[in-house]
Amino acid sequence: MPRPRRSAVLTAFRTSALLDAARRVFGKSGFEAATIAEIAREAGVAKGTVYLYYRSKRSIYWAALREGIAELDARTRKRVRRAATLHDAIREFILTKVEYFDERRDFFRIYVQELSGQAVRPQFGHADFKPLYQRQLRGLQTAVTAAIDRGEIRRVDASRAAGAIVDLTRGVVSRRLMRRRRARAAAEVDAVVDLIWRGLASKGSLKR
Amino acid sequence: MPRPRRSAVLTAFRTSALLDAARRVFGKSGFEAATIAEIAREAGVAKGTVYLYYRSKRSIYWAALREGIAELDARTRKRVRRAATLHDAIREFILTKVEYFDERRDFFRIYVQELSGQAVRPQFGHADFKPLYQRQLRGLQTAVTAAIDRGEIRRVDASRAAGAIVDLTRGVVSRRLMRRRRARAAAEVDAVVDLIWRGLASKGSLKR
Amino acid sequence: MPRPRRSAVLTAFRTSALLDAARRVFGKSGFEAATIAEIAREAGVAKGTVYLYYRSKRSIYWAALREGIAELDARTRKRVRRAATLHDAIREFILTKVEYFDERRDFFRIYVQELSGQAVRPQFGHADFKPLYQRQLRGLQTAVTAAIDRGEIRRVDASRAAGAIVDLTRGVVSRRLMRRRRARAAAEVDAVVDLIWRGLASKGSLKR
Amino acid sequence: MPRPRRSAVLTAFRTSALLDAARRVFGKSGFEAATIAEIAREAGVAKGTVYLYYRSKRSIYWAALREGIAELDARTRKRVRRAATLHDAIREFILTKVEYFDERRDFFRIYVQELSGQAVRPQFGHADFKPLYQRQLRGLQTAVTAAIDRGEIRRVDASRAAGAIVDLTRGVVSRRLMRRRRARAAAEVDAVVDLIWRGLASKGSLKR
DNA sequence: CATGAATGAGTTTTCATTCAT
DNA sequence: AATGAATGAAAACTCATTCAT
């Protein structure tokens, strides 16, 4: 295996600096209001240089988004995989995201806006984005189905359950980031996990 | 004091046509990408006419948003007020929104983007918007607290419960609108109400 | 002689109100920044009405300018005519203008800007304007020539002398209007008349 | 700290071309009627390029004005400083301006309009402009005062005398530029200097 | 590879002027 | 005659993208 040519190292270096900068700038201003000039300045390069690595403003935006999602996805999968029960899997799922976005607030701004955009204008999103996002849903769905089969929880629509977990996760993260002082992550996560867990696991019919 | 405009009717007519057009255009493209020219064309008037009724692009955007939210809020309050139990209140809450946004997909796009924006950049957004949105949360919170006092549900953090209801509602609506063919609203709503209800009402500790 | 038809009265009334308003508004903002809407509002009529009396923004501007100049010209001629000597004629000339513009500051703004414009872009001014303005110069020139013939003053270039009188007049008025508190007109005028008079009347050669 | 622009030469070149163009265009049309597009065309660059060097239409206007005034001021001071007597100082003062504006007619248009604007709406105008202009007046005033002290001229109000010199200068320049064929500068200047000099220097009382 | 000057399409907003009522 | 709603041309300014150095 040839060691990377100088240019590969350089490329990796620039790419990383540019994506960092992009995340900050898009996170601060949103896609439209962000400018290539600002990203370049933030990354410490000239404007033209951005175009040596990315074809367009959109494309650096997608790249930043994709990288963040991929990283988040990787972390999530790693931690969820270790969970022995669905309960723990859900807890790890939510906790991973809460912790990740606590670290990367800027990225959350991009992520959530894009997610809303997706929800709302499916035709627009980048082809790469939806699958990455859907994989999460499918992962949860599979876990839920397995738990049903194991008798851990009652028979629920696995797809809807997965959706609900995702929705509640987003809600927790959103509200955390809106507050100036953030509560301990574990406490907040446990509360929402408790809610969803009762929702999934309680059997029989409840008095309304 | 200027005598009244020749025709309040005309103003109402134009205003309404412009807000309709604004909703469609902002819904399709988002705030930044939308153009006044397109809104004008869509409303069947000349560009300058828009400025006879609204001072700026932002202001017609807010007007469209405000009108939609006010209408949604009114409908929601009316139906929730009639509900005898928290269970029914939650059901009506969600159902009202599902039905409203089924009718007004365009508006959902604006609404959800703005909501995400709020979550993410609270300093932006119009002053009018947050209160209108927070009122919802407080309404739910009050209902939850009352239900706890009546012993309908277990002791939960009312604020978190309200947040969860809002999050799940948004999720349901989002996913409905993403699908080409929409399921019956009632079925979908019942499923999510069931989930949240069990989450709130199930007492004792559950095996994990 | 038929008495004026109603419409003639009305026309006179409107015209006068419009010119007053125009003077104020053009005086306050200059030609470009002034708007027909503001003139109409100031005159207490609707925008469209302005166009019943004047064909265009330029034309109401010219009308306001012309009226002011004509009035100023009339006053000046009347007072200058009475003067027995050139010295008095000059004094009356300057005094009339100082007094007139003390009364009508707004008009001075229009007048002086237009005069500068004329000086600078002769091709632009309205055809009516230059003659009105030149008549002043010729009047002074004639008076100077007569004074030379009478031996009141030394032989000077009458045209240049007339120009100098006009220039100094403008300067006095300008500086008066720039100051918050205005000195007595007579004192200021006498000072400048003294200067110009010595300039014109002193004979022989002076040590330099 | 950004390293110096690649080429200060380029900046100087563009700046100069743009100011030249600005002078021509503002001179032709006045501030309001001039357009950035026309300035750009005149300078042989694209519209956007203007904004690389100046932040706004106003700012290129001020820059053109300031440059012209500064140059004129420098020339004037240099030549006036050399004059041994007030008579010569006045002559040099007027002559410098006549010659300068003979070269730069376009600039005169801007200059005189701005001066009128100042006279008439002091609150507008750029902060830099008034001092630059007032310095002239003060310079003349000082020279007049000194001449009085030396007994060169009679006791006159120095401030008024300075004003008169400025007014007459403007008049001479104006009238020169209005004519198609211009007389020799010296002849015209001498005539007006003679006038003002007699005005200032003639002692005793003159028959009126 | 990197730069940053140049470009010009595209957007918001204003306002003189028209014309149906 | 009067109105004022509607029009759309025009202008300042921004910024993604290109390309000569």
Side-chain angles (χ1 to χ4, degrees):
Chain A
M1 195 171 71
R3 71 188 127 132
R5 286 172 299 144
R6 173 151 47 151
S7 66
V9 173
L10 182 54
T11 295
F13 174 72
R14 285 272 189 254
T15 295
S16 161
L18 285 169
L19 290 185
D20 271 8
R23 205 158 35 232
R24 280 196 295 279
V25 174
F26 285 127
K28 172 158 68 74
S29 320
F31 178 77
E32 311 277 356
T35 69
I36 291 286
E38 193 181 359
I39 293 171
R41 198 183 326 122
E42 193 82 0
V45 300
K47 227 177 345 153
T49 304
V50 177
Y51 285 86
L52 296 176
Y53 295 89
Y54 297 95
R55 314 159 48 87
S56 68
K57 187 182 176 184
R58 274 236 102 84
S59 103
I60 190 170
Y61 174 79
W62 289 123
L65 190 58
R66 184 162 46 242
E67 191 216 28
I69 293 176
E71 163 77 4
L72 173 56
D73 190 48
R75 288 201 200 180
T76 307
R77 294 162 73 76
K78 189 165 158 196
R79 287 177 61 173
V80 167
R81 204 183 303 129
R82 292 202 213 108
T85 62
L86 177 62
H87 181 275
D88 285 1
I90 294 172
R91 190 171 187 276
E92 289 304 313
F93 181 89
I94 301 179
L95 205 49
T96 309
K97 290 189 193 303
V98 166
E99 288 169 0
Y100 184 72
F101 287 122
D102 273 359
E103 279 172 36
R104 307 239 241 169
R105 300 188 57 138
D106 288 330
F107 180 64
F108 183 69
R109 291 168 179 161
I110 302 175
Y111 180 78
V112 78
Q113 285 277 347
E114 189 56 33
L115 217 62
S116 309
Q118 285 298 314
V120 135
R121 269 194 306 280
Q123 70 279 20
F124 272 17
H126 191 277
D128 291 356
F129 181 70
K130 209 185 322 205
L132 222 36
Y133 168 70
Q134 298 263 350
R135 187 157 66 178
Q136 277 186 47
L137 273 180
R138 277 199 305 276
L140 285 172
Q141 201 176 327
T142 308
V144 168
T145 305
I148 293 171
D149 291 346
R150 288 195 306 267
E152 262 183 60
I153 60 169
R154 66 192 170 94
R155 307 199 69 80
V156 296
D157 179 313
S159 159
R160 278 179 184 140
I165 294 167
V166 167
D167 295 337
L168 290 170
T169 303
R170 171 159 47 164
V172 172
V173 174
S174 261
R175 260 171 266 115
R176 272 182 80 71
L177 298 189
M178 281 176 81
R179 283 184 231 120
R180 218 161 279 293
R181 303 189 51 79
R182 305 212 270 281
R184 270 185 48 248
E188 273 189 307
V189 172
D190 284 341
V192 74
V193 171
D194 182 49
L195 186 80
I196 186 87
W197 184 248
R198 284 171 187 273
L200 296 172
S202 91
K203 291 173 183 171
S205 76
L206 263 58
K207 202 191 78 177
R208 304 178 172 179
Chain B
M1 196 171 62
R3 67 188 108 162
R5 255 200 251 295
R6 188 84 69 95
S7 158
V9 173
L10 177 57
T11 294
F13 175 71
R14 285 275 184 249
T15 294
S16 161
L18 284 169
L19 289 184
D20 273 5
R23 207 152 37 226
R24 281 195 296 280
V25 174
F26 286 127
K28 172 157 70 73
S29 319
F31 177 78
E32 312 274 0
T35 71
I36 290 286
E38 193 181 359
I39 293 172
R41 198 181 327 120
E42 192 80 4
V45 299
K47 224 172 350 134
T49 303
V50 177
Y51 286 88
L52 294 180
Y53 295 89
Y54 298 95
R55 310 153 59 93
S56 67
K57 186 181 174 184
R58 274 235 99 85
S59 102
I60 190 170
Y61 174 78
W62 288 122
L65 190 58
R66 185 161 42 241
E67 190 215 28
I69 292 176
E71 163 78 4
L72 173 56
D73 190 48
R75 288 202 201 179
T76 305
R77 295 162 73 76
K78 189 167 159 193
R79 287 178 59 173
V80 168
R81 203 181 306 129
R82 292 204 214 105
T85 63
L86 177 63
H87 180 276
D88 285 1
I90 294 171
R91 190 171 186 274
E92 289 303 314
F93 181 89
I94 302 179
L95 204 49
T96 309
K97 288 188 194 306
V98 166
E99 288 169 359
Y100 184 72
F101 287 122
D102 274 0
E103 281 170 35
R104 305 239 244 169
R105 299 188 56 137
D106 289 328
F107 180 65
F108 183 68
R109 292 168 179 162
I110 301 175
Y111 179 78
V112 78
Q113 286 277 346
E114 188 56 34
L115 217 61
S116 308
Q118 285 297 315
V120 135
R121 267 196 303 284
Q123 69 277 25
F124 287 176
H126 194 277
D128 290 356
F129 182 71
K130 212 196 296 219
L132 223 36
Y133 168 70
Q134 298 263 351
R135 187 158 66 176
Q136 277 187 44
L137 272 180
R138 276 200 306 275
L140 285 172
Q141 201 176 325
T142 308
V144 169
T145 304
I148 293 172
D149 291 345
R150 289 194 307 266
E152 264 183 58
I153 60 169
R154 67 190 169 96
R155 308 199 68 81
V156 298
D157 179 315
S159 159
R160 276 179 185 141
I165 294 167
V166 167
D167 294 338
L168 291 170
T169 304
R170 169 152 60 158
V172 171
V173 174
S174 263
R175 259 171 266 112
R176 273 180 79 73
L177 298 189
M178 283 176 80
R179 283 184 231 120
R180 217 160 283 291
R181 301 190 52 79
R182 305 213 271 280
R184 271 184 49 246
E188 272 189 307
V189 171
D190 285 339
V192 74
V193 171
D194 183 48
L195 185 79
I196 187 87
W197 184 248
R198 286 171 186 273
L200 294 173
S202 90
K203 291 172 183 172
S205 78
L206 263 59
K207 200 190 77 179
R208 302 179 171 181
Chain C
M1 194 172 69
R3 72 188 128 132
R5 284 171 301 143
R6 172 150 48 150
S7 66
V9 174
L10 182 54
T11 294
F13 174 70
R14 285 274 187 251
T15 294
S16 161
L18 284 169
L19 290 184
D20 271 6
R23 205 158 36 231
R24 281 195 297 278
V25 174
F26 286 127
K28 172 159 67 75
S29 319
F31 178 77
E32 311 276 357
T35 69
I36 291 286
E38 193 180 0
I39 293 171
R41 198 181 327 122
E42 194 81 1
V45 300
K47 228 179 340 154
T49 304
V50 177
Y51 285 85
L52 295 177
Y53 295 89
Y54 297 95
R55 314 159 47 86
S56 66
K57 187 181 175 183
R58 273 236 102 86
S59 102
I60 190 170
Y61 174 79
W62 289 123
L65 190 58
R66 183 162 46 240
E67 191 216 29
I69 292 175
E71 162 78 5
L72 173 56
D73 191 49
R75 288 202 200 179
T76 306
R77 294 161 74 75
K78 188 166 160 197
R79 288 178 59 173
V80 168
R81 204 181 306 131
R82 293 202 214 108
T85 63
L86 177 61
H87 180 276
D88 285 1
I90 294 172
R91 189 170 188 277
E92 289 303 313
F93 181 88
I94 301 180
L95 205 48
T96 310
K97 290 192 193 301
V98 165
E99 288 169 0
Y100 185 71
F101 288 122
D102 273 359
E103 279 171 37
R104 306 239 242 169
R105 298 189 58 139
D106 288 329
F107 180 64
F108 183 68
R109 291 170 178 160
I110 303 175
Y111 179 79
V112 78
Q113 285 278 346
E114 190 55 34
L115 216 62
S116 309
Q118 284 299 313
V120 134
R121 269 195 305 284
Q123 70 278 21
F124 273 17
H126 192 278
D128 291 356
F129 181 71
K130 209 185 320 206
L132 222 34
Y133 168 69
Q134 299 263 349
R135 187 157 64 177
Q136 279 187 46
L137 272 180
R138 277 200 306 275
L140 285 171
Q141 201 176 327
T142 309
V144 169
T145 305
I148 292 170
D149 292 345
R150 290 195 304 267
E152 262 183 60
I153 60 171
R154 65 189 171 96
R155 306 199 69 80
V156 297
D157 180 315
S159 158
R160 277 180 185 141
I165 294 166
V166 167
D167 295 337
L168 290 170
T169 304
R170 174 165 39 168
V172 172
V173 174
S174 261
R175 260 172 265 115
R176 271 182 81 70
L177 298 190
M178 281 177 82
R179 282 184 231 121
R180 216 160 283 291
R181 300 189 55 78
R182 305 213 269 281
R184 270 184 50 248
E188 273 189 306
V189 172
D190 285 339
V192 74
V193 171
D194 182 49
L195 185 79
I196 187 87
W197 184 248
R198 285 171 187 274
L200 295 172
S202 90
K203 292 176 183 170
S205 75
L206 265 57
K207 198 189 78 179
R208 301 181 173 180
Chain D
M1 194 172 65
R3 67 187 109 162
R5 256 199 251 294
R6 189 83 69 95
S7 158
V9 173
L10 177 57
T11 295
F13 174 72
R14 285 274 186 250
T15 294
S16 159
L18 285 169
L19 290 185
D20 274 5
R23 206 154 37 227
R24 280 196 295 281
V25 174
F26 286 127
K28 173 157 69 73
S29 320
F31 177 77
E32 312 275 0
T35 72
I36 290 287
E38 193 180 1
I39 293 172
R41 197 182 328 121
E42 192 80 4
V45 300
K47 219 171 358 129
T49 303
V50 178
Y51 287 89
L52 294 180
Y53 295 88
Y54 298 94
R55 311 152 58 92
S56 66
K57 186 182 176 184
R58 276 234 100 86
S59 101
I60 191 171
Y61 174 78
W62 289 122
L65 190 58
R66 184 162 42 241
E67 191 216 28
I69 292 177
E71 164 77 4
L72 174 56
D73 190 48
R75 287 202 201 179
T76 306
R77 294 161 74 76
K78 190 166 158 193
R79 288 179 58 174
V80 168
R81 203 181 307 129
R82 293 203 214 105
T85 63
L86 178 63
H87 180 275
D88 285 0
I90 294 172
R91 189 172 187 276
E92 289 303 313
F93 181 89
I94 302 180
L95 205 48
T96 310
K97 290 191 192 302
V98 166
E99 289 170 359
Y100 184 72
F101 288 122
D102 273 0
E103 281 171 35
R104 307 238 243 170
R105 300 187 56 138
D106 290 327
F107 180 65
F108 183 69
R109 291 168 180 162
I110 301 175
Y111 179 80
V112 78
Q113 285 279 342
E114 187 58 33
L115 218 62
S116 308
Q118 285 297 316
V120 136
R121 265 195 304 284
Q123 68 278 25
F124 287 176
H126 193 277
D128 291 356
F129 182 71
K130 212 196 293 219
L132 222 35
Y133 168 70
Q134 298 265 352
R135 187 159 66 176
Q136 277 187 45
L137 273 180
R138 277 199 306 275
L140 286 173
Q141 201 176 325
T142 308
V144 169
T145 305
I148 293 171
D149 292 345
R150 289 195 306 266
E152 264 183 60
I153 61 172
R154 67 190 169 95
R155 307 199 70 80
V156 297
D157 179 315
S159 158
R160 278 181 183 138
I165 295 167
V166 168
D167 294 338
L168 291 170
T169 305
R170 169 151 58 158
V172 172
V173 174
S174 262
R175 258 171 267 114
R176 274 181 78 72
L177 298 189
M178 282 176 80
R179 283 183 231 121
R180 217 161 283 292
R181 300 191 52 80
R182 303 213 272 279
R184 270 184 49 249
E188 271 189 307
V189 171
D190 284 340
V192 75
V193 171
D194 183 49
L195 185 78
I196 187 88
W197 184 247
R198 285 172 186 274
L200 294 174
S202 89
K203 292 172 183 171
S205 77
L206 265 58
K207 199 190 79 178
R208 304 182 173 180

